[in-house]
């Protein structure tokens, strides 16, 4: 059974570090799969649309994202294409509780990553999913949405 992980919140310094790449031999390990399952479970239970490993205290380049096709784990994700067009949209974050703000993001992105089996994959995303990918990859570089947001509101 996957277990719920504790979510680290701002201003914990862990959220501000640049995360390290996951080694390919790491990916096949049972403990790594368990981590992906635990992160997925944690994200779903907290009604998140994405979760990055630094948010559960691990500074490695791993995110889980909720897509229409289900949850995917993305290892060493990198944006290889970004649309010229950008748009403002409201964001929140499990690591910045009860806070919302508008962030300007690319409307479309392509993201290359390794899947849970260690295979190279590429995902083309638009709209909300593109936004989630940019938000989660920012976490891997120690960036929080409040660094970029305007009209920040607290609830
Ligand atoms: Zn976040």
């Amino acid at each position: 059974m996957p277990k719920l992980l504790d979510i680290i919140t701002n201003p914990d310094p862990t959220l501000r570090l640049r995360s390290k790449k996951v080694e390919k031999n790491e990916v096949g390990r049972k403990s790594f799969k368990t981590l992906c399952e635990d992160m997925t479970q944690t994200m779903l239970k907290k009604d998140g649309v994405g979760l990055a490993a630094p948010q559960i205290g691990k500074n490695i380049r791993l995110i889980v994202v909720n897509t229409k096709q289900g949850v995917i784990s993305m290892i060493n994700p990198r944006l290889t294409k970004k649309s010229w067009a950008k748009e403002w949209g409201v964001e929140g974050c499990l690591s910045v509780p009860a806070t919302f703000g508008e962030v300007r993001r690319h409307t479309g992105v392509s993201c290359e990553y390794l899947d849970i089996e260690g295979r190279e994959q590429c995902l083309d995303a638009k709209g909300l999913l593109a936004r989630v990918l940019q938000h989660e990859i920012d976490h891997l570089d120690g960036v929080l949405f409040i660094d970029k947001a305007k009209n920040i509101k607290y609830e």
Side-chain angles (χ1 to χ4, degrees):
M1 278 290 283
K3 66 172 189 291
L4 285 184
L5 304 167
D6 287 332
I7 296 200
I8 284 178
T9 56
N10 191 43
D12 191 301
T14 305
L15 293 171
R16 293 306 192 171
L17 299 175
R18 199 182 144 79
S19 290
K20 290 194 188 71
K21 265 188 140 181
V22 178
E23 299 294 334
K24 231 179 168 170
N25 65 346
E26 189 84 26
V27 177
R29 290 195 188 139
K30 180 109 177 32
S31 59
F32 192 83
K33 283 201 170 130
T34 303
L35 173 65
C36 293
E37 287 164 12
D38 291 347
M39 281 178 61
T40 297
Q41 183 75 359
T42 304
M43 173 185 71
L44 294 175
K45 272 269 152 58
K46 306 267 181 187
D47 286 327
V49 282
L51 188 67
Q55 294 182 273
I56 52 98
K58 291 202 186 299
N59 284 111
I60 57 170
R61 302 188 81 82
L62 164 67
I63 62 175
V64 294
V65 177
N66 204 353
T67 75
K68 282 176 190 146
Q69 284 75 40
V71 178
I72 47 174
S73 300
M74 304 172 86
I75 299 150
N76 300 335
R78 58 198 189 281
L79 299 177
T80 49
K81 277 185 212 162
K82 298 170 186 170
S83 65
W84 178 81
K86 289 184 170 186
E87 65 186 354
W88 291 94
V90 175
E91 294 184 16
C93 179
L94 294 174
S95 293
V96 191
T99 307
F100 299 89
E102 290 169 48
V103 185
R104 195 164 176 253
R105 302 281 191 190
H106 298 283
T107 57
V109 294
S110 297
C111 184
E112 290 187 7
Y113 65 99
L114 293 180
D115 69 14
I116 189 80
E117 309 299 338
R119 294 173 299 217
E120 288 279 356
Q121 302 280 0
C122 184
L123 177 70
D124 295 317
K126 281 184 181 163
L128 179 62
L129 183 57
R131 177 171 294 278
V132 172
L133 289 172
Q134 290 166 83
H135 176 118
E136 299 310 330
I137 292 173
D138 270 354
H139 273 299
L140 304 182
D141 295 321
V143 175
L144 297 176
F145 84 97
I146 44 173
D147 303 344
K148 302 178 166 181
K150 67 172 189 183
N151 296 332
I152 295 179
K153 291 191 173 72
Y154 306 94
E155 287 193 347

